[in-house]
Amino acid sequence: MDVREGFEELYGTAPEGVWAAPGRVNLIGEYTDFNEGFVMPLALPHTAVAAVSRRSDGVLRLHSADIEGPIVELYVDELAPLTNAGWAAYPAGVVWVLREAGHAITGADVHLSSTVPTGAGLSSSAALEVVTALALNDLYGLGLTRPELARLAQRAENDFVGVPCGVMDQMASACCTEGHALHLDCRDLSIRQVPFDLASQGLALLVVDTRVKHALGDGAYAERREGCEEGARQLGVSHLRDVAYEDLDASLARLSDERVRRYVRHVVSDDHRVERVISLLDAGQVRAIGPVLTQGHVSLRDDLRISCPELDLVVDTANASGALGARMTGGGFGGSAIVLAEASDTDTITKAIEEAFGSARFTAPRVFVAVPAAGARRLG
């Protein structure tokens, strides 16, 4: 049953429209977004789809086709941060933040279904937020731009749900285009669509979902964000974006705390890695980005310390089996890794990873090819 049919069965009438917003995988640039740095995500074909209609009585009804349970019924006037648990907090947070911004959202009926794997570091929560924001923007005629919708969706996750994420996930879901990676400057939200047609180069980007679930609300993400902010304070800059890569060693020497020093080293060097990847892609040297990806994983593993045995096994096994490069992607502590490989080698690499997981008695991973897809859009 598609979401339109599901909506009709639930609410007894056809929805006013159907919208979709994708998950994302990040090519390079991790934990740099809240430091006002650079990132380079691409949208996945996996989407959150929402059938939505307006209401005028202040009632917000939410239902997920993917989670067993009744319709969640809330009142827009009573929405308050950190009071809603579970999946419904994400669309409810969008309604709350739109109203906080002065938009007269008087209620909605929403039926959602998503193919974005949850807990896999592929931004399932951002997809829920962005699809809700886009639907309400269209239905209520708010006239908000895609970057504005992304900022509001980010605020919903920060202030309503309570996860201090940066803006990359929401911007990727809202603004990516098919066949491209999104070069995003997280300071001013300027974007550049970078052609990323790996198939034409005989290449493929594998996503390996380790099926290890992470929970960013458990404090580990917030602790690293606090450490980055402390590093910026000690270095006298507003954000680590302002620390020049050429001055990194001198800047690190000014930091007394070993933990803060590691976090600063990762963020400044990962911003530099984004710029290196852009330069290589612009020069047509797509295969040369592989080692940069692997360098990024080493930094995430050793400096930020957000990897896990399953992610390290993916990267080590892939590279030993002929991959051009690999790294974990997303918030860490589980989730997914990406592998850049010759298209002809993907079966061999996938088999090697699956066998390595079996030998280690890990849960079998889910492996698929990432094809750069379109961002959020109305389906009908």
Side-chain angles (χ1 to χ4, degrees), residues 35-364:
N35 288 291
E36 293 196 352
F38 305 106
V39 293
M40 200 172 177
L42 52 103
L44 293 170
H46 308 73
T47 58
V49 180
V52 185
S53 287
R54 291 168 289 181
R55 296 180 66 97
S56 59
D57 58 0
V59 173
L60 174 64
R61 295 195 293 182
L62 304 167
H63 187 268
S64 170
D66 310 311
I67 300 172
E68 188 172 340
I71 295 170
V72 177
E73 186 166 309
L74 304 167
Y75 295 92
V76 298
D77 288 341
E78 298 176 3
L79 294 175
L82 309 179
T83 57
N84 295 91
W87 69 269
Y90 298 99
V94 170
V95 173
W96 174 81
V97 80
L98 285 170
R99 287 172 57 84
E100 286 287 298
H103 301 292
I105 307 299
T106 56
D109 285 337
V110 182
H111 178 54
L112 289 152
S113 180
S114 179
T115 58
V116 185
T118 58
L122 303 176
S123 298
S124 57
S125 59
L128 288 179
E129 293 155 0
V130 170
V131 75
T132 305
L134 182 61
L136 295 175
N137 184 57
D138 287 355
L139 289 175
Y140 280 94
L142 305 181
L144 298 168
T145 66
R146 294 304 181 92
E148 288 170 338
L149 290 175
R151 278 289 197 203
L152 288 165
Q154 178 204 10
R155 189 183 166 209
E157 188 151 345
N158 290 173
D159 297 346
F160 193 87
V161 180
V163 176
C165 65
V167 76
M168 172 182 67
D169 296 351
Q170 292 82 5
M171 281 291 292
S173 187
C175 300
C176 277
T177 59
E178 186 175 358
H180 295 79
L182 184 77
H183 182 207
L184 169 65
D185 183 331
C186 296
R187 169 158 288 172
D188 61 11
L189 297 193
S190 59
I191 60 177
R192 177 186 167 205
Q193 304 290 349
V194 180
F196 197 62
D197 181 8
L198 294 181
S200 69
Q201 303 286 321
L203 298 172
L205 187 71
L206 295 176
V207 176
V208 183
D209 176 6
T210 64
R211 299 187 186 269
V212 177
K213 304 302 183 187
H214 62 186
L216 295 184
D218 64 0
Y221 183 99
E223 186 274 333
R224 281 152 181 79
R225 180 163 186 162
E226 180 278 326
C228 291
E229 292 168 350
E230 176 61 27
R233 281 193 293 272
Q234 291 186 25
L235 293 173
V237 295
S238 66
H239 293 83
L240 293 181
R241 152 74 173 272
D242 298 311
V243 179
Y245 179 74
E246 295 75 17
D247 300 332
L248 178 57
D249 288 344
S251 297
L252 294 176
R254 296 167 54 194
L255 301 171
S256 57
D257 186 280
E258 185 267 345
R259 174 187 65 101
V260 172
R261 192 182 305 120
R262 285 190 284 103
Y263 294 174
V264 170
R265 181 166 53 227
H266 165 74
V267 170
V268 176
S269 62
D270 228 33
D271 268 337
H272 182 63
R273 280 186 281 272
V274 176
E275 294 178 319
R276 286 175 62 196
V277 167
I278 287 289
S279 297
L280 290 167
L281 291 177
D282 285 345
Q285 300 177 40
V286 185
R287 285 169 174 81
I289 74 172
V292 186
L293 302 184
T294 302
Q295 291 162 15
H297 182 78
V298 171
S299 181
L300 291 163
R301 182 193 68 201
D302 297 346
D303 280 341
L304 213 56
R305 297 185 181 177
I306 61 170
S307 190
C308 66
E310 292 86 351
L311 289 168
D312 292 341
L313 185 59
V314 172
V315 172
D316 293 344
T317 303
N319 284 332
S321 304
L324 298 169
R327 75 174 191 94
M328 60 151 290
T329 184
F333 309 103
S336 298
I338 55 173
V339 178
L340 181 68
E342 302 290 345
S344 57
D345 292 339
T346 56
D347 288 346
T348 299
I349 292 169
T350 298
K351 183 179 180 182
I353 292 170
E354 291 171 344
E355 290 178 348
F357 268 54
S359 297
R361 299 187 181 277
F362 293 154
T363 300

